[in-house]
PDB file of all heavy atoms in Angstrom:
ATOM      1  N   ARG A   9    -229.881 185.626  76.307  1.00 65.00           N
ATOM      2  CA  ARG A   9    -229.850 184.569  75.289  1.00 65.00           C
ATOM      3  C   ARG A   9    -229.451 183.245  75.930  1.00 65.00           C
ATOM      4  O   ARG A   9    -230.015 182.227  75.617  1.00 65.00           O
ATOM      5  CB  ARG A   9    -228.815 184.965  74.210  1.00 65.00           C
ATOM      6  CG  ARG A   9    -228.610 183.881  73.201  1.00 65.00           C
ATOM      7  CD  ARG A   9    -227.317 184.170  72.463  1.00 65.00           C
ATOM      8  NE  ARG A   9    -226.229 184.488  73.364  1.00 65.00           N
ATOM      9  CZ  ARG A   9    -225.458 183.584  73.895  1.00 65.00           C
ATOM     10  NH1 ARG A   9    -225.586 182.327  73.648  1.00 65.00           N
ATOM     11  NH2 ARG A   9    -224.489 183.955  74.733  1.00 65.00           N
ATOM     12  N   ARG A  12    -232.213 181.933  77.594  1.00 68.00           N
ATOM     13  CA  ARG A  12    -233.173 181.484  76.580  1.00 68.00           C
ATOM     14  C   ARG A  12    -232.797 180.093  76.100  1.00 68.00           C
ATOM     15  O   ARG A  12    -233.637 179.235  75.907  1.00 68.00           O
ATOM     16  CB  ARG A  12    -233.185 182.457  75.418  1.00 68.00           C
ATOM     17  CG  ARG A  12    -234.468 182.476  74.670  1.00 68.00           C
ATOM     18  CD  ARG A  12    -234.468 183.589  73.681  1.00 68.00           C
ATOM     19  NE  ARG A  12    -234.189 184.845  74.341  1.00 68.00           N
ATOM     20  CZ  ARG A  12    -233.276 185.735  73.939  1.00 68.00           C
ATOM     21  NH1 ARG A  12    -232.533 185.492  72.908  1.00 68.00           N
ATOM     22  NH2 ARG A  12    -233.103 186.871  74.573  1.00 68.00           N
ATOM     23  N   ILE A  13    -231.517 179.887  75.877  1.00 69.00           N
ATOM     24  CA  ILE A  13    -231.076 178.589  75.377  1.00 69.00           C
ATOM     25  C   ILE A  13    -231.423 177.518  76.380  1.00 69.00           C
ATOM     26  O   ILE A  13    -231.971 176.472  76.012  1.00 69.00           O
ATOM     27  CB  ILE A  13    -229.579 178.569  75.068  1.00 69.00           C
ATOM     28  CG1 ILE A  13    -229.300 179.455  73.869  1.00 69.00           C
ATOM     29  CG2 ILE A  13    -229.107 177.188  74.779  1.00 69.00           C
ATOM     30  CD1 ILE A  13    -227.864 179.535  73.521  1.00 69.00           C
ATOM     31  N   SER A  16    -235.099 176.941  76.449  1.00 70.00           N
ATOM     32  CA  SER A  16    -235.589 176.185  75.324  1.00 70.00           C
ATOM     33  C   SER A  16    -235.132 174.720  75.413  1.00 70.00           C
ATOM     34  O   SER A  16    -235.893 173.817  75.073  1.00 70.00           O
ATOM     35  CB  SER A  16    -235.081 176.788  74.013  1.00 70.00           C
ATOM     36  OG  SER A  16    -233.667 176.832  74.053  1.00 70.00           O
ATOM     37  N   ALA A  17    -233.925 174.532  75.898  1.00 70.00           N
ATOM     38  CA  ALA A  17    -233.437 173.145  76.024  1.00 70.00           C
ATOM     39  C   ALA A  17    -234.331 172.414  77.031  1.00 70.00           C
ATOM     40  O   ALA A  17    -234.769 171.273  76.791  1.00 70.00           O
ATOM     41  CB  ALA A  17    -231.996 173.137  76.500  1.00 70.00           C
ATOM     42  N   LEU A  24    -240.171 166.172  75.052  1.00 70.00           N
ATOM     43  CA  LEU A  24    -239.817 164.857  74.576  1.00 70.00           C
ATOM     44  C   LEU A  24    -239.902 163.824  75.689  1.00 70.00           C
ATOM     45  O   LEU A  24    -240.312 162.665  75.436  1.00 70.00           O
ATOM     46  CB  LEU A  24    -238.402 164.870  74.005  1.00 70.00           C
ATOM     47  CG  LEU A  24    -238.336 165.535  72.604  1.00 70.00           C
ATOM     48  CD1 LEU A  24    -236.927 165.857  72.221  1.00 70.00           C
ATOM     49  CD2 LEU A  24    -238.965 164.657  71.589  1.00 70.00           C
ATOM     50  N   GLN A  43    -233.756 152.940  66.992  1.00 72.00           N
ATOM     51  CA  GLN A  43    -233.879 154.415  67.098  1.00 72.00           C
ATOM     52  C   GLN A  43    -235.214 154.842  67.680  1.00 72.00           C
ATOM     53  O   GLN A  43    -235.311 155.864  68.326  1.00 72.00           O
ATOM     54  CB  GLN A  43    -233.750 155.038  65.694  1.00 72.00           C
ATOM     55  CG  GLN A  43    -232.388 155.463  65.304  1.00 72.00           C
ATOM     56  CD  GLN A  43    -231.607 154.320  64.686  1.00 72.00           C
ATOM     57  OE1 GLN A  43    -232.064 153.184  64.729  1.00 72.00           O
ATOM     58  NE2 GLN A  43    -230.481 154.615  64.108  1.00 72.00           N
ATOM     59  N   PHE A  44    -236.221 154.069  67.316  1.00 75.00           N
ATOM     60  CA  PHE A  44    -237.562 154.487  67.752  1.00 75.00           C
ATOM     61  C   PHE A  44    -238.074 153.688  68.974  1.00 75.00           C
ATOM     62  O   PHE A  44    -239.208 153.789  69.318  1.00 75.00           O
ATOM     63  CB  PHE A  44    -238.539 154.292  66.582  1.00 75.00           C
ATOM     64  CG  PHE A  44    -238.123 155.099  65.386  1.00 75.00           C
ATOM     65  CD1 PHE A  44    -237.956 154.491  64.159  1.00 75.00           C
ATOM     66  CD2 PHE A  44    -237.879 156.451  65.492  1.00 75.00           C
ATOM     67  CE1 PHE A  44    -237.586 155.246  63.054  1.00 75.00           C
ATOM     68  CE2 PHE A  44    -237.517 157.189  64.394  1.00 75.00           C
ATOM     69  CZ  PHE A  44    -237.356 156.592  63.157  1.00 75.00           C
ATOM     70  N   PHE A  49    -235.563 156.314  75.460  1.00 83.00           N
ATOM     71  CA  PHE A  49    -235.653 157.744  75.244  1.00 83.00           C
ATOM     72  C   PHE A  49    -235.183 158.583  76.440  1.00 83.00           C
ATOM     73  O   PHE A  49    -234.400 159.505  76.309  1.00 83.00           O
ATOM     74  CB  PHE A  49    -237.082 158.148  74.885  1.00 83.00           C
ATOM     75  CG  PHE A  49    -237.427 157.930  73.424  1.00 83.00           C
ATOM     76  CD1 PHE A  49    -236.512 157.290  72.587  1.00 83.00           C
ATOM     77  CD2 PHE A  49    -238.611 158.383  72.916  1.00 83.00           C
ATOM     78  CE1 PHE A  49    -236.807 157.113  71.246  1.00 83.00           C
ATOM     79  CE2 PHE A  49    -238.911 158.181  71.576  1.00 83.00           C
ATOM     80  CZ  PHE A  49    -238.013 157.560  70.733  1.00 83.00           C
ATOM     81  N   GLN A  52    -231.480 158.425  77.013  1.00 87.00           N
ATOM     82  CA  GLN A  52    -230.736 159.175  75.988  1.00 87.00           C
ATOM     83  C   GLN A  52    -230.841 160.684  76.235  1.00 87.00           C
ATOM     84  O   GLN A  52    -229.874 161.403  76.144  1.00 87.00           O
ATOM     85  CB  GLN A  52    -231.312 158.863  74.615  1.00 87.00           C
ATOM     86  CG  GLN A  52    -230.924 157.452  74.162  1.00 87.00           C
ATOM     87  CD  GLN A  52    -231.351 157.198  72.739  1.00 87.00           C
ATOM     88  OE1 GLN A  52    -231.776 158.099  72.017  1.00 87.00           O
ATOM     89  NE2 GLN A  52    -231.211 155.965  72.291  1.00 87.00           N
ATOM     90  N   LEU A  53    -232.090 161.111  76.588  1.00 88.00           N
ATOM     91  CA  LEU A  53    -232.269 162.522  76.838  1.00 88.00           C
ATOM     92  C   LEU A  53    -231.420 163.000  78.005  1.00 88.00           C
ATOM     93  O   LEU A  53    -230.799 164.054  77.971  1.00 88.00           O
ATOM     94  CB  LEU A  53    -233.731 162.829  77.137  1.00 88.00           C
ATOM     95  CG  LEU A  53    -234.648 162.827  75.943  1.00 88.00           C
ATOM     96  CD1 LEU A  53    -236.074 163.074  76.363  1.00 88.00           C
ATOM     97  CD2 LEU A  53    -234.214 163.942  74.976  1.00 88.00           C
ATOM     98  N   PHE A  60    -224.099 167.456  76.474  1.00 90.00           N
ATOM     99  CA  PHE A  60    -224.127 168.670  75.672  1.00 90.00           C
ATOM    100  C   PHE A  60    -224.017 169.896  76.553  1.00 90.00           C
ATOM    101  O   PHE A  60    -223.361 170.885  76.209  1.00 90.00           O
ATOM    102  CB  PHE A  60    -225.368 168.745  74.804  1.00 90.00           C
ATOM    103  CG  PHE A  60    -225.361 169.888  73.844  1.00 90.00           C
ATOM    104  CD1 PHE A  60    -224.475 169.914  72.772  1.00 90.00           C
ATOM    105  CD2 PHE A  60    -226.193 170.967  73.977  1.00 90.00           C
ATOM    106  CE1 PHE A  60    -224.417 170.934  71.891  1.00 90.00           C
ATOM    107  CE2 PHE A  60    -226.174 172.030  73.089  1.00 90.00           C
ATOM    108  CZ  PHE A  60    -225.294 171.994  72.030  1.00 90.00           C
ATOM    109  N   PHE A  63    -220.413 170.212  77.656  1.00 89.00           N
ATOM    110  CA  PHE A  63    -219.695 170.631  76.484  1.00 89.00           C
ATOM    111  C   PHE A  63    -219.832 172.147  76.238  1.00 89.00           C
ATOM    112  O   PHE A  63    -218.903 172.893  76.052  1.00 89.00           O
ATOM    113  CB  PHE A  63    -220.221 169.857  75.272  1.00 89.00           C
ATOM    114  CG  PHE A  63    -219.278 169.721  74.127  1.00 89.00           C
ATOM    115  CD1 PHE A  63    -218.109 169.038  74.287  1.00 89.00           C
ATOM    116  CD2 PHE A  63    -219.547 170.274  72.922  1.00 89.00           C
ATOM    117  CE1 PHE A  63    -217.233 168.869  73.261  1.00 89.00           C
ATOM    118  CE2 PHE A  63    -218.677 170.158  71.863  1.00 89.00           C
ATOM    119  CZ  PHE A  63    -217.508 169.455  72.028  1.00 89.00           C
ATOM    120  N   TYR A  64    -221.142 172.546  76.276  1.00 88.00           N
ATOM    121  CA  TYR A  64    -221.430 173.954  76.006  1.00 88.00           C
ATOM    122  C   TYR A  64    -220.819 174.865  77.057  1.00 88.00           C
ATOM    123  O   TYR A  64    -220.247 175.884  76.751  1.00 88.00           O
ATOM    124  CB  TYR A  64    -222.948 174.162  75.913  1.00 88.00           C
ATOM    125  CG  TYR A  64    -223.337 175.586  75.710  1.00 88.00           C
ATOM    126  CD1 TYR A  64    -223.046 176.229  74.509  1.00 88.00           C
ATOM    127  CD2 TYR A  64    -223.984 176.324  76.696  1.00 88.00           C
ATOM    128  CE1 TYR A  64    -223.370 177.516  74.296  1.00 88.00           C
ATOM    129  CE2 TYR A  64    -224.292 177.641  76.504  1.00 88.00           C
ATOM    130  CZ  TYR A  64    -223.991 178.228  75.291  1.00 88.00           C
ATOM    131  OH  TYR A  64    -224.334 179.563  75.097  1.00 88.00           O
ATOM    132  N   ILE A  67    -217.120 175.101  76.523  1.00 86.00           N
ATOM    133  CA  ILE A  67    -216.762 175.950  75.389  1.00 86.00           C
ATOM    134  C   ILE A  67    -217.012 177.398  75.706  1.00 86.00           C
ATOM    135  O   ILE A  67    -216.179 178.272  75.450  1.00 86.00           O
ATOM    136  CB  ILE A  67    -217.540 175.503  74.138  1.00 86.00           C
ATOM    137  CG1 ILE A  67    -216.938 174.208  73.629  1.00 86.00           C
ATOM    138  CG2 ILE A  67    -217.509 176.561  73.052  1.00 86.00           C
ATOM    139  CD1 ILE A  67    -217.503 173.720  72.341  1.00 86.00           C
ATOM    140  N   GLN A  68    -218.168 177.685  76.293  1.00 84.00           N
ATOM    141  CA  GLN A  68    -218.495 179.063  76.580  1.00 84.00           C
ATOM    142  C   GLN A  68    -217.492 179.684  77.551  1.00 84.00           C
ATOM    143  O   GLN A  68    -217.074 180.825  77.374  1.00 84.00           O
ATOM    144  CB  GLN A  68    -219.926 179.113  77.183  1.00 84.00           C
ATOM    145  CG  GLN A  68    -220.342 180.466  77.689  1.00 84.00           C
ATOM    146  CD  GLN A  68    -220.929 181.300  76.588  1.00 84.00           C
ATOM    147  OE1 GLN A  68    -221.078 180.825  75.482  1.00 84.00           O
ATOM    148  NE2 GLN A  68    -221.264 182.529  76.901  1.00 84.00           N
ATOM    149  N   LEU A  75    -209.439 180.964  72.635  1.00 78.00           N
ATOM    150  CA  LEU A  75    -209.237 181.075  71.176  1.00 78.00           C
ATOM    151  C   LEU A  75    -209.287 182.523  70.762  1.00 78.00           C
ATOM    152  O   LEU A  75    -208.424 182.979  69.919  1.00 78.00           O
ATOM    153  CB  LEU A  75    -210.329 180.297  70.450  1.00 78.00           C
ATOM    154  CG  LEU A  75    -210.144 178.798  70.556  1.00 78.00           C
ATOM    155  CD1 LEU A  75    -211.398 178.069  70.158  1.00 78.00           C
ATOM    156  CD2 LEU A  75    -209.000 178.358  69.639  1.00 78.00           C
ATOM    157  N   LEU A  79    -206.217 184.402  68.913  1.00 84.00           N
ATOM    158  CA  LEU A  79    -206.373 185.005  67.576  1.00 84.00           C
ATOM    159  C   LEU A  79    -206.042 186.463  67.618  1.00 84.00           C
ATOM    160  O   LEU A  79    -205.401 187.013  66.702  1.00 84.00           O
ATOM    161  CB  LEU A  79    -207.788 184.771  67.039  1.00 84.00           C
ATOM    162  CG  LEU A  79    -208.082 183.345  66.639  1.00 84.00           C
ATOM    163  CD1 LEU A  79    -209.550 183.173  66.320  1.00 84.00           C
ATOM    164  CD2 LEU A  79    -207.249 182.951  65.433  1.00 84.00           C
TER     165      LEU A  79
ATOM    166  N   TYR B   3    -212.545 176.751  65.094  1.00 84.00           N
ATOM    167  CA  TYR B   3    -213.254 177.887  65.664  1.00 84.00           C
ATOM    168  C   TYR B   3    -213.351 178.971  64.647  1.00 84.00           C
ATOM    169  O   TYR B   3    -214.396 179.619  64.489  1.00 84.00           O
ATOM    170  CB  TYR B   3    -212.519 178.381  66.921  1.00 84.00           C
ATOM    171  CG  TYR B   3    -213.197 179.630  67.464  1.00 84.00           C
ATOM    172  CD1 TYR B   3    -214.350 179.518  68.232  1.00 84.00           C
ATOM    173  CD2 TYR B   3    -212.703 180.899  67.199  1.00 84.00           C
ATOM    174  CE1 TYR B   3    -214.958 180.625  68.723  1.00 84.00           C
ATOM    175  CE2 TYR B   3    -213.324 182.007  67.702  1.00 84.00           C
ATOM    176  CZ  TYR B   3    -214.474 181.900  68.446  1.00 84.00           C
ATOM    177  OH  TYR B   3    -215.100 182.995  68.923  1.00 84.00           O
ATOM    178  N   GLU B   4    -212.248 179.231  63.906  1.00 84.00           N
ATOM    179  CA  GLU B   4    -212.295 180.252  62.881  1.00 84.00           C
ATOM    180  C   GLU B   4    -213.285 179.899  61.801  1.00 84.00           C
ATOM    181  O   GLU B   4    -213.970 180.776  61.251  1.00 84.00           O
ATOM    182  CB  GLU B   4    -210.874 180.442  62.269  1.00 84.00           C
ATOM    183  CG  GLU B   4    -210.018 181.339  63.092  1.00 84.00           C
ATOM    184  CD  GLU B   4    -208.697 181.586  62.436  1.00 84.00           C
ATOM    185  OE1 GLU B   4    -208.266 180.780  61.633  1.00 84.00           O
ATOM    186  OE2 GLU B   4    -208.100 182.627  62.735  1.00 84.00           O
ATOM    187  N   PRO B  20    -222.681 186.913  70.101  1.00 83.00           N
ATOM    188  CA  PRO B  20    -223.061 186.066  71.261  1.00 83.00           C
ATOM    189  C   PRO B  20    -223.369 184.656  70.874  1.00 83.00           C
ATOM    190  O   PRO B  20    -223.380 183.782  71.754  1.00 83.00           O
ATOM    191  CB  PRO B  20    -224.288 186.756  71.821  1.00 83.00           C
ATOM    192  CG  PRO B  20    -224.301 188.097  71.231  1.00 83.00           C
ATOM    193  CD  PRO B  20    -223.618 188.002  69.941  1.00 83.00           C
ATOM    194  N   PHE B  21    -223.687 184.405  69.604  1.00 87.00           N
ATOM    195  CA  PHE B  21    -224.166 183.074  69.231  1.00 87.00           C
ATOM    196  C   PHE B  21    -223.046 182.155  68.774  1.00 87.00           C
ATOM    197  O   PHE B  21    -223.254 180.985  68.552  1.00 87.00           O
ATOM    198  CB  PHE B  21    -225.227 183.195  68.125  1.00 87.00           C
ATOM    199  CG  PHE B  21    -226.398 183.969  68.557  1.00 87.00           C
ATOM    200  CD1 PHE B  21    -226.570 185.277  68.141  1.00 87.00           C
ATOM    201  CD2 PHE B  21    -227.319 183.425  69.420  1.00 87.00           C
ATOM    202  CE1 PHE B  21    -227.613 186.025  68.561  1.00 87.00           C
ATOM    203  CE2 PHE B  21    -228.402 184.152  69.846  1.00 87.00           C
ATOM    204  CZ  PHE B  21    -228.582 185.441  69.415  1.00 87.00           C
ATOM    205  N   PRO B  23    -220.370 180.893  70.357  1.00 86.00           N
ATOM    206  CA  PRO B  23    -220.078 179.713  71.187  1.00 86.00           C
ATOM    207  C   PRO B  23    -221.124 178.618  71.045  1.00 86.00           C
ATOM    208  O   PRO B  23    -220.786 177.420  70.973  1.00 86.00           O
ATOM    209  CB  PRO B  23    -220.057 180.268  72.610  1.00 86.00           C
ATOM    210  CG  PRO B  23    -219.849 181.706  72.480  1.00 86.00           C
ATOM    211  CD  PRO B  23    -220.464 182.083  71.194  1.00 86.00           C
ATOM    212  N   PHE B  24    -222.382 179.022  70.931  1.00 89.00           N
ATOM    213  CA  PHE B  24    -223.435 177.998  70.845  1.00 89.00           C
ATOM    214  C   PHE B  24    -223.308 177.222  69.523  1.00 89.00           C
ATOM    215  O   PHE B  24    -223.349 175.992  69.491  1.00 89.00           O
ATOM    216  CB  PHE B  24    -224.817 178.635  70.941  1.00 89.00           C
ATOM    217  CG  PHE B  24    -225.925 177.633  70.720  1.00 89.00           C
ATOM    218  CD1 PHE B  24    -226.157 176.625  71.635  1.00 89.00           C
ATOM    219  CD2 PHE B  24    -226.725 177.699  69.617  1.00 89.00           C
ATOM    220  CE1 PHE B  24    -227.180 175.729  71.452  1.00 89.00           C
ATOM    221  CE2 PHE B  24    -227.749 176.791  69.395  1.00 89.00           C
ATOM    222  CZ  PHE B  24    -227.967 175.768  70.325  1.00 89.00           C
ATOM    223  N   PHE B  31    -220.011 169.245  68.660  1.00 93.00           N
ATOM    224  CA  PHE B  31    -220.723 168.100  69.262  1.00 93.00           C
ATOM    225  C   PHE B  31    -221.191 167.127  68.150  1.00 93.00           C
ATOM    226  O   PHE B  31    -220.945 165.923  68.220  1.00 93.00           O
ATOM    227  CB  PHE B  31    -221.919 168.618  70.030  1.00 93.00           C
ATOM    228  CG  PHE B  31    -222.660 167.602  70.833  1.00 93.00           C
ATOM    229  CD1 PHE B  31    -222.084 167.033  71.931  1.00 93.00           C
ATOM    230  CD2 PHE B  31    -223.956 167.243  70.499  1.00 93.00           C
ATOM    231  CE1 PHE B  31    -222.754 166.112  72.693  1.00 93.00           C
ATOM    232  CE2 PHE B  31    -224.638 166.322  71.242  1.00 93.00           C
ATOM    233  CZ  PHE B  31    -224.013 165.740  72.366  1.00 93.00           C
ATOM    234  N   SER B  49    -227.358 159.172  65.183  1.00 87.00           N
ATOM    235  CA  SER B  49    -228.276 158.465  64.318  1.00 87.00           C
ATOM    236  C   SER B  49    -229.580 158.150  65.051  1.00 87.00           C
ATOM    237  O   SER B  49    -230.363 157.340  64.578  1.00 87.00           O
ATOM    238  CB  SER B  49    -227.641 157.189  63.776  1.00 87.00           C
ATOM    239  OG  SER B  49    -227.565 156.248  64.811  1.00 87.00           O
ATOM    240  N   HIS B  50    -229.756 158.747  66.206  1.00 88.00           N
ATOM    241  CA  HIS B  50    -231.027 158.531  66.948  1.00 88.00           C
ATOM    242  C   HIS B  50    -231.845 159.776  66.854  1.00 88.00           C
ATOM    243  O   HIS B  50    -231.378 160.864  67.170  1.00 88.00           O
ATOM    244  CB  HIS B  50    -230.707 158.171  68.398  1.00 88.00           C
ATOM    245  CG  HIS B  50    -230.279 156.781  68.574  1.00 88.00           C
ATOM    246  ND1 HIS B  50    -231.053 155.802  69.101  1.00 88.00           N
ATOM    247  CD2 HIS B  50    -229.113 156.144  68.196  1.00 88.00           C
ATOM    248  CE1 HIS B  50    -230.402 154.642  69.095  1.00 88.00           C
ATOM    249  NE2 HIS B  50    -229.217 154.841  68.554  1.00 88.00           N
ATOM    250  N   ILE B  52    -234.143 160.846  68.664  1.00 88.00           N
ATOM    251  CA  ILE B  52    -234.310 161.559  69.933  1.00 88.00           C
ATOM    252  C   ILE B  52    -233.225 162.643  70.073  1.00 88.00           C
ATOM    253  O   ILE B  52    -233.510 163.781  70.427  1.00 88.00           O
ATOM    254  CB  ILE B  52    -234.235 160.540  71.088  1.00 88.00           C
ATOM    255  CG1 ILE B  52    -235.633 160.068  71.429  1.00 88.00           C
ATOM    256  CG2 ILE B  52    -233.635 161.162  72.339  1.00 88.00           C
ATOM    257  CD1 ILE B  52    -236.512 161.134  72.042  1.00 88.00           C
ATOM    258  N   THR B  56    -233.965 166.463  69.716  1.00 91.00           N
ATOM    259  CA  THR B  56    -233.830 167.372  70.865  1.00 91.00           C
ATOM    260  C   THR B  56    -233.005 168.605  70.494  1.00 91.00           C
ATOM    261  O   THR B  56    -233.369 169.719  70.785  1.00 91.00           O
ATOM    262  CB  THR B  56    -233.184 166.657  72.041  1.00 91.00           C
ATOM    263  OG1 THR B  56    -233.777 165.394  72.210  1.00 91.00           O
ATOM    264  CG2 THR B  56    -233.235 167.471  73.288  1.00 91.00           C
ATOM    265  N   VAL B  60    -234.249 172.393  70.470  1.00 91.00           N
ATOM    266  CA  VAL B  60    -233.562 173.430  71.214  1.00 91.00           C
ATOM    267  C   VAL B  60    -233.299 174.635  70.319  1.00 91.00           C
ATOM    268  O   VAL B  60    -233.612 175.802  70.669  1.00 91.00           O
ATOM    269  CB  VAL B  60    -232.251 172.923  71.831  1.00 91.00           C
ATOM    270  CG1 VAL B  60    -231.357 174.070  72.275  1.00 91.00           C
ATOM    271  CG2 VAL B  60    -232.522 172.005  72.985  1.00 91.00           C
ATOM    272  N   VAL B  63    -236.698 176.384  69.374  1.00 91.00           N
ATOM    273  CA  VAL B  63    -237.296 177.158  70.462  1.00 91.00           C
ATOM    274  C   VAL B  63    -236.467 178.400  70.750  1.00 91.00           C
ATOM    275  O   VAL B  63    -237.010 179.482  70.972  1.00 91.00           O
ATOM    276  CB  VAL B  63    -237.478 176.286  71.725  1.00 91.00           C
ATOM    277  CG1 VAL B  63    -237.901 177.127  72.884  1.00 91.00           C
ATOM    278  CG2 VAL B  63    -238.479 175.177  71.461  1.00 91.00           C
ATOM    279  N   MET B  64    -235.161 178.230  70.719  1.00 90.00           N
ATOM    280  CA  MET B  64    -234.266 179.368  70.968  1.00 90.00           C
ATOM    281  C   MET B  64    -234.498 180.468  69.959  1.00 90.00           C
ATOM    282  O   MET B  64    -234.605 181.663  70.289  1.00 90.00           O
ATOM    283  CB  MET B  64    -232.821 178.922  70.941  1.00 90.00           C
ATOM    284  CG  MET B  64    -231.844 180.092  71.040  1.00 90.00           C
ATOM    285  SD  MET B  64    -230.149 179.584  70.992  1.00 90.00           S
ATOM    286  CE  MET B  64    -229.780 179.797  69.302  1.00 90.00           C
ATOM    287  N   LEU B  67    -237.933 182.122  70.494  1.00 88.00           N
ATOM    288  CA  LEU B  67    -237.917 182.994  71.667  1.00 88.00           C
ATOM    289  C   LEU B  67    -237.123 184.255  71.351  1.00 88.00           C
ATOM    290  O   LEU B  67    -237.511 185.349  71.784  1.00 88.00           O
ATOM    291  CB  LEU B  67    -237.314 182.270  72.860  1.00 88.00           C
ATOM    292  CG  LEU B  67    -238.238 181.326  73.576  1.00 88.00           C
ATOM    293  CD1 LEU B  67    -237.515 180.613  74.699  1.00 88.00           C
ATOM    294  CD2 LEU B  67    -239.427 182.084  74.176  1.00 88.00           C
ATOM    295  N   LEU B  68    -235.999 184.063  70.651  1.00 87.00           N
ATOM    296  CA  LEU B  68    -235.190 185.227  70.280  1.00 87.00           C
ATOM    297  C   LEU B  68    -235.997 186.227  69.488  1.00 87.00           C
ATOM    298  O   LEU B  68    -236.005 187.435  69.798  1.00 87.00           O
ATOM    299  CB  LEU B  68    -234.007 184.695  69.411  1.00 87.00           C
ATOM    300  CG  LEU B  68    -232.916 185.684  69.050  1.00 87.00           C
ATOM    301  CD1 LEU B  68    -232.170 186.122  70.277  1.00 87.00           C
ATOM    302  CD2 LEU B  68    -231.966 185.021  68.082  1.00 87.00           C
ATOM    303  N   ILE B  71    -238.846 187.789  71.742  1.00 85.00           N
ATOM    304  CA  ILE B  71    -238.385 188.758  72.731  1.00 85.00           C
ATOM    305  C   ILE B  71    -237.826 190.015  72.076  1.00 85.00           C
ATOM    306  O   ILE B  71    -238.011 191.113  72.576  1.00 85.00           O
ATOM    307  CB  ILE B  71    -237.329 188.099  73.641  1.00 85.00           C
ATOM    308  CG1 ILE B  71    -238.015 187.040  74.517  1.00 85.00           C
ATOM    309  CG2 ILE B  71    -236.620 189.129  74.490  1.00 85.00           C
ATOM    310  CD1 ILE B  71    -237.103 186.285  75.392  1.00 85.00           C
ATOM    311  N   PHE B 114    -230.432 162.767  61.115  1.00 92.00           N
ATOM    312  CA  PHE B 114    -230.715 161.421  61.549  1.00 92.00           C
ATOM    313  C   PHE B 114    -230.755 160.488  60.344  1.00 92.00           C
ATOM    314  O   PHE B 114    -230.129 159.423  60.369  1.00 92.00           O
ATOM    315  CB  PHE B 114    -232.043 161.421  62.314  1.00 92.00           C
ATOM    316  CG  PHE B 114    -232.830 160.185  62.209  1.00 92.00           C
ATOM    317  CD1 PHE B 114    -232.441 159.032  62.876  1.00 92.00           C
ATOM    318  CD2 PHE B 114    -233.987 160.110  61.442  1.00 92.00           C
ATOM    319  CE1 PHE B 114    -233.155 157.884  62.815  1.00 92.00           C
ATOM    320  CE2 PHE B 114    -234.726 158.951  61.357  1.00 92.00           C
ATOM    321  CZ  PHE B 114    -234.323 157.818  62.044  1.00 92.00           C
ATOM    322  N   MET B 118    -228.106 157.481  59.764  1.00 91.00           N
ATOM    323  CA  MET B 118    -228.642 156.144  59.916  1.00 91.00           C
ATOM    324  C   MET B 118    -228.596 155.373  58.627  1.00 91.00           C
ATOM    325  O   MET B 118    -228.213 154.209  58.594  1.00 91.00           O
ATOM    326  CB  MET B 118    -230.099 156.229  60.415  1.00 91.00           C
ATOM    327  CG  MET B 118    -230.644 154.881  60.775  1.00 91.00           C
ATOM    328  SD  MET B 118    -232.381 154.896  61.112  1.00 91.00           S
ATOM    329  CE  MET B 118    -233.019 154.716  59.486  1.00 91.00           C
TER     330      MET B 118
END
Side-chain angles (χ1 to χ4, degrees):
Chain A
R9 175 197 47 89
R12 207 171 303 131
I13 291 178
S16 57
L24 284 166
Q43 268 86 349
F44 301 125
F49 277 7
Q52 289 186 8
L53 283 177
F60 188 68
F63 204 64
Y64 177 68
I67 285 186
Q68 172 86 4
L75 287 164
L79 288 173
Chain B
Y3 177 78
E4 277 184 336
F21 300 103
F24 175 67
F31 187 69
S49 73
H50 283 253
I52 268 291
T56 313
V60 165
V63 172
M64 173 180 96
L67 280 177
L68 188 66
I71 291 176
F114 150 73
M118 188 189 85

